[in-house]
């Protein structure tokens, strides 16, 4: 009998490296989602507890329950009818807007010089600028208190704007420098060839293209100025010049035996909600601003 030889079956093709990498990522996706969910839960728990406390009144404040047994908006009404809080809110808005506008104005010129001009040791200059952000604010709080008292800037809004601007500028310069570097230099050269001056090229070419970077910088600066506490509490002494964080710290109860936990929680919720809305709306631009220039090529 003739023997029939079976032909060996070809081995199945091995998955391409790209397909294997995609399969590995798919297997890790559930683990990643669980980790992200845990991080989000841990981040939201303090805010939930803040809202929970703000809805409690009387003996319910010391119960420690996970939800208010008799929810009430009385704490929010007390905060809204508090004249010092409304004054502080207006001060925070004014100081935040003025500081942000000045930071964008000065930082745009400084960032343009660092990104475009042929300056020696530009990296060192940018590093020195950023080193200001690492300087502890507490180290200059007492000297500034003495200087501001001598020259008449103590307990004024101008006395708050100047130091806040000093610490806001380095971050603004860093973010805008990264954005300006990403704008093609050929666009600016074309404008110069057509007869534009360097300032006209900066104003009509660079700034319009850097609007996303300007918006990101404005958001980051405003949030940092809005939340700043140490300088605000050191350089003010009356409700007329205090900002929101300081006003909340000085909240008092209706009598000497009452702890203003509920009103402080309600005020904290009220001043946090606008910032949360801004961050949620512009989160992509904030991330783009922080990572601009990180990847090149």
């Amino acid at each position: 009998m003739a023997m029939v030889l079976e032909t060996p079956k070809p081995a199945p093709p091995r998955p391409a490296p790209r397909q294997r990498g995609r399969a590995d990522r798919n297997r890790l996706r559930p683990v990643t989602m669980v980790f992200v969910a845990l991080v989000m839960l841990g981040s939201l728990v303090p805010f939930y507890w803040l809202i929970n406390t703000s809805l409690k009144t009387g003996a319910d404040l010391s119960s420690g329950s996970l939800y208010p047994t008799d929810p009430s908006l009385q704490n929010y009404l007390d905060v809204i009818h508090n004249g010092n809080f409304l004054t502080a809110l207006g001060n925070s808005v004014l100081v935040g807007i003025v500081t942000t506008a000045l930071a964008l104005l000065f930082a745009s010129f400084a960032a343009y010089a660092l990104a475009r001009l042929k300056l020696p040791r530009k990296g060192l200059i940018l590093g020195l600028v950023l080193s200001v952000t690492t300087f502890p604010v507490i180290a200059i709080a007492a000297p500034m208190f003495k200087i501001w008292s001598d020259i008449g800037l103590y307990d004024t809004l101008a006395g708050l704007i100047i130091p806040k601007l000093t610490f806001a500028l380095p971050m603004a310069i860093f973010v805008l420098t990264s954005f300006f570097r990403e704008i093609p230099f050929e666009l600016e050269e074309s404008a110069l060839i057509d007869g534009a001056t360097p300032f006209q090229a900066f104003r009509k070419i660079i700034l319009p293209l850097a609007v996303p970077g300007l918006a990101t910088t404005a958001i980051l600066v405003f949030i940092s100025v809005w939340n700043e506490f140490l300088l605000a509490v050191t350089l003010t002494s009356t409700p007329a010049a205090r900002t929101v964080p300081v006003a909340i710290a000085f909240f008092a109860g209706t009598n000497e035996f009452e702890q203003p936990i509920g009103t402080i929680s309600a005020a904290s919720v009220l001043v946090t909600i606008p910032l949360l809305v801004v961050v949620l709306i512009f989160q992509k631009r904030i991330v783009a601003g922080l990572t601009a220039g990180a990847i090149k090529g």
Side-chain angles (χ1 to χ4, degrees):
M1 294 178 60
M3 297 182 62
V4 180
L5 299 177
E6 294 182 358
T7 57
K9 296 181 180 180
R14 301 181 63 182
R18 181 177 299 180
Q19 293 177 346
R20 290 201 302 270
R22 187 177 302 171
D24 294 338
R25 287 195 298 270
N26 291 336
R27 285 195 298 268
L28 291 175
R29 183 170 298 176
V31 179
T32 304
M33 295 301 296
V34 171
F35 178 75
V36 171
L38 292 175
V39 172
M40 290 181 59
L41 182 62
S43 302
L44 293 176
V45 164
F47 191 66
Y48 168 76
W49 194 258
L50 189 67
I51 298 176
N52 175 37
T53 306
S54 68
L55 296 175
K56 295 179 179 181
T57 56
D60 199 15
L61 282 170
S62 58
S63 63
S65 59
L66 295 178
Y67 58 90
T69 55
D70 187 18
S72 173
L73 296 177
Q74 185 59 44
N75 292 324
Y76 291 92
L77 295 177
D78 292 341
V79 170
I80 293 174
H81 291 98
N82 188 319
N84 291 339
F85 176 79
L86 296 179
T87 301
L89 186 62
N91 292 339
S92 288
V93 172
L94 180 60
V95 171
I97 291 177
V98 174
T99 304
T100 302
L102 292 176
L104 289 180
L105 176 64
F106 297 143
S108 60
F109 289 110
Y112 177 77
L114 291 173
R116 285 291 195 258
L117 302 183
K118 295 182 179 180
L119 300 175
R121 302 186 182 276
K122 290 193 294 185
L124 178 61
I125 296 174
L126 186 58
L128 291 176
V129 170
L130 289 176
S131 65
V132 176
T133 60
T134 65
F135 199 80
V137 181
I138 189 64
I140 66 170
M144 288 196 67
F145 170 80
K146 180 66 170 61
I147 295 172
W148 262 217
S149 299
D150 293 341
I151 64 178
L153 286 177
Y154 179 73
D155 201 33
T156 64
L157 296 183
L160 290 179
I161 292 173
I162 295 173
K164 288 176 183 284
L165 178 62
T166 302
F167 285 94
L169 268 176
M171 178 179 62
I173 292 173
F174 174 74
V175 176
L176 288 180
T177 301
S178 301
F179 269 95
F180 288 159
R181 285 174 178 170
E182 292 184 348
I183 299 176
F185 187 68
E186 290 76 10
L187 298 175
E188 191 176 354
E189 281 186 330
S190 300
L192 295 176
I193 293 173
D194 291 339
T197 63
F199 181 74
Q200 288 175 333
F202 170 73
R203 181 170 60 88
K204 296 182 178 181
I205 303 298
I206 301 298
L207 286 183
L209 293 176
V211 167
L214 293 172
T216 301
T217 306
I219 294 169
L220 295 175
V221 170
F222 186 83
I223 291 176
S224 66
V225 172
W226 182 275
N227 292 329
E228 199 280 325
F229 176 80
L230 184 57
L231 289 175
V233 74
T234 305
L235 303 178
T236 59
S237 60
T238 62
R242 287 172 181 161
T243 55
V244 163
V246 181
I248 294 176
F250 278 90
F251 268 3
T254 56
N255 57 69
E256 59 180 337
F257 303 104
E258 178 186 353
Q259 293 183 351
I261 300 175
T263 51
I264 289 177
S265 300
S268 301
V269 172
L270 290 177
V271 301
T272 303
I273 289 177
L275 297 183
L276 287 177
V277 172
V278 170
V279 170
L280 290 176
I281 294 176
F282 298 101
Q283 57 179 331
K284 291 185 178 179
R285 290 189 174 181
I286 294 175
V287 174
L290 294 175
T291 59
I295 301 176
K296 191 174 182 181

